Amino acid sequence: MSVWMVRARAPSFIIPITTLRIGNGNGDVKGLRLPLLSNKNWQFQLQLELQQRNEEKKKRQNVTISYTNSSSGGDSASAALELEVNEIRESCKMWKWKGQYSINYLVSSTPNSHPDSPPLLLVHGFGASIPHWRRNIGTLAKSYTVYAIDLLGFGASDKPAGYSYTMEGWAQLILDFLDEVVKKPTVLIGNSVGTLACVIAASGLVLLNCAGGMNNKAIVDDWRIKLLFPLLWFIDFLLKQRPIASAIFERVKQRETLRNILLSIYANKESVDETLVEIIREPANEEGALDAFVSIVTGPPGPNPVQLMSSISIPVLVLWGDEDPFTPLDGPVGKYFSSLPSKLSNVKLIVLKRVGHCPHDDRPELVHEKLLPWLAETFNF
């Protein structure tokens, strides 16, 4: 994970597929938690649920987000205040990018948010979405105005048919969002592939386990990737066959498959709950999700961090989980970032012990403990 202040252009990273919305498999309908009901009374129960939701919504019409429960004890600034996924979704807004694509985003602040401090923009990784930051938004919003965005192709943002996804395209989306919506110099905080898009676009940056590219064809002096290149091209060929791609995608988005993937990339296994599985799974069921998956996996990997970081002069905080199986510290990308603090005075690296590929969700309190002091010191708030 890394954090930067925005207004430059950023690199891209390789990210595992995880994502989107929430349900628990026990009768949830578009985020409404319903008991398993007989055919005779389910409509009545649904009507009651909707009525209650509408009444609650009216009470907080102009409120961005209220965080409710804490996942850790005490009042420390680094404590993780976990938001309900439904609360996040109901607080989101839509912005039209290029006059044609609907982009889902969130704004959260509190009366204590310092008016002169830079806002923060949270950018998720591959397969994820805004709710993946549910354990961070509440804590960060105590001091900063927090924005979070669903990249095109993910979450509740549009997934246009035939669109060719590129890291540069996502970076441009971020830049335009900053220009048209945020309208202030902003600190970008990205995870995995989201970090690369941030690097291309940033003026203040926080990177959480940066990826090497948009997909596994990114080469960062890794002989293993070079050796596997023929296999990767063959996989690309298979994914471009619609029936095969559909079968693979259906398999990937099964609850048990997603749970196993998440367990492999999280060091803190307790963080892999049903909510997380559904955050990744639900958007994958939306129209256009398969096309986005195929386009991203088979498309060009985009620029890698080695090409991009040398031109970055803004403050950069790099937080790296030491148990990341996708971009391990002893791999080419990890070794490169480990060497940066000795070469670039604007880069600070902190290795997080017993943390996986998604530090902000794996061990949020630890991330806040390192991130908040860096923000305060770097931007004098």
Side-chain angles (χ1 to χ4, degrees):
M1 170 176 192
S2 57
V3 174
W4 302 17
M5 201 67 186
V6 169
R7 263 286 34 112
R9 303 260 156 159
S12 40
F13 301 78
I14 298 177
I15 300 178
I17 299 173
T18 52
T19 17
L20 311 161
R21 286 175 156 192
I22 295 181
N24 61 10
N26 293 322
D28 284 10
V29 178
K30 293 187 177 178
L32 295 175
R33 295 186 178 179
L34 302 176
L36 293 175
L37 302 168
S38 68
N39 290 336
K40 294 180 180 179
N41 62 6
W42 75 267
Q43 287 180 320
F44 175 70
Q45 181 67 35
L46 177 58
Q47 188 177 13
L48 286 177
E49 286 279 351
L50 288 171
Q51 245 178 347
Q52 291 169 359
R53 289 275 173 189
N54 289 334
E55 288 170 5
E56 290 170 6
K57 208 167 183 179
K58 285 177 185 175
K59 292 177 184 176
R60 56 171 187 269
Q61 265 179 338
N62 296 317
V63 178
T64 18
I65 258 193
S66 59
Y67 36 87
T68 53
N69 54 325
S70 171
S71 61
S72 65
D75 296 323
S76 82
S78 63
L81 299 168
E82 183 168 341
L83 305 179
E84 292 290 335
V85 174
N86 288 337
E87 293 297 310
I88 291 176
R89 290 192 178 134
E90 290 172 4
S91 301
C92 284
K93 305 176 182 180
M94 283 293 179
W95 163 66
K96 277 289 183 183
W97 182 43
K98 296 185 175 181
Q100 57 181 325
Y101 304 121
S102 292
I103 302 299
N104 188 52
Y105 75 96
L106 171 80
V107 188
S108 180
S109 62
T110 67
N112 295 325
S113 300
H114 198 293
D116 297 323
S117 63
L120 312 178
L121 175 60
L122 310 179
V123 183
H124 63 79
F126 182 78
S129 58
I130 293 170
H132 201 207
W133 301 98
R134 69 198 183 284
R135 293 172 175 149
N136 315 106
I137 294 169
T139 299
L140 298 176
K142 289 197 293 184
S143 302
Y144 301 89
T145 296
V146 177
Y147 290 82
I149 191 172
D150 281 343
L151 295 173
L152 190 71
F154 295 113
S157 290
D158 278 353
K159 303 166 186 65
Y163 186 87
S164 296
Y165 294 88
T166 64
M167 195 61 63
E168 294 87 346
W170 282 330
Q172 188 59 55
L173 164 62
I174 291 171
L175 287 171
D176 291 343
F177 181 79
L178 294 172
D179 286 342
E180 298 178 24
V181 180
V182 183
K183 299 179 181 179
K184 289 179 68 176
T186 303
V187 176
L188 300 182
I189 303 178
N191 174 229
S192 189
V193 171
T195 59
L196 280 178
C198 288
V199 173
I200 297 168
S203 60
L205 201 55
V206 176
L207 305 177
L208 300 170
N209 286 58
C210 188
M214 191 169 81
N215 53 49
N216 286 318
K217 293 192 294 297
I219 298 178
V220 188
D221 295 327
D222 191 339
W223 64 269
R224 293 165 293 189
I225 296 296
K226 293 177 181 178
L227 190 64
L228 290 173
F229 232 59
L231 176 59
L232 295 176
W233 285 116
F234 179 65
I235 292 173
D236 280 2
F237 170 77
L238 292 178
L239 287 175
K240 288 176 180 177
Q241 316 308 310
R242 186 80 180 187
I244 297 175
S246 181
I248 293 173
F249 192 57
E250 286 299 320
R251 177 67 177 175
V252 167
K253 67 182 185 180
Q254 295 301 310
R255 284 189 179 85
E256 283 309 308
T257 304
L258 287 176
R259 185 179 293 104
N260 289 334
I261 291 173
L262 291 166
L263 286 170
S264 74
I265 65 176
Y266 275 61
N268 180 13
K269 308 306 180 185
E270 292 181 1
S271 290
V272 182
D273 54 19
E274 287 304 309
T275 296
L276 175 60
V277 171
E278 287 301 322
I279 284 174
I280 304 304
R281 182 178 178 272
E282 194 172 338
N285 288 322
E286 295 182 357
E287 186 176 354
L290 171 60
D291 291 338
F293 168 76
V294 172
S295 176
I296 293 166
V297 173
T298 64
N304 66 53
V306 175
Q307 297 168 323
L308 296 166
M309 287 300 298
S310 59
S311 63
I312 299 291
S313 58
I314 57 176
V316 180
L317 172 64
V318 181
L319 301 178
W320 210 286
D322 67 344
E323 295 186 17
D324 181 356
F326 283 99
T327 48
L329 272 172
D330 61 355
V333 178
K335 287 180 178 178
Y336 172 73
F337 275 95
S338 296
S339 71
L340 278 185
S342 63
K343 301 174 183 177
L344 302 174
S345 60
N346 60 308
V347 177
K348 181 176 182 178
L349 169 70
I350 299 176
V351 176
L352 305 176
K353 300 296 184 182
R354 297 182 297 282
V355 177
H357 187 67
C358 306
H360 63 291
D361 192 49
D362 196 330
R363 297 190 185 274
E365 296 88 353
L366 184 56
V367 167
H368 300 157
E369 179 185 306
K370 307 300 181 184
L371 171 59
L372 290 170
W374 181 84
L375 287 170
E377 178 183 353
T378 302
F379 302 106
N380 300 316
F381 292 108

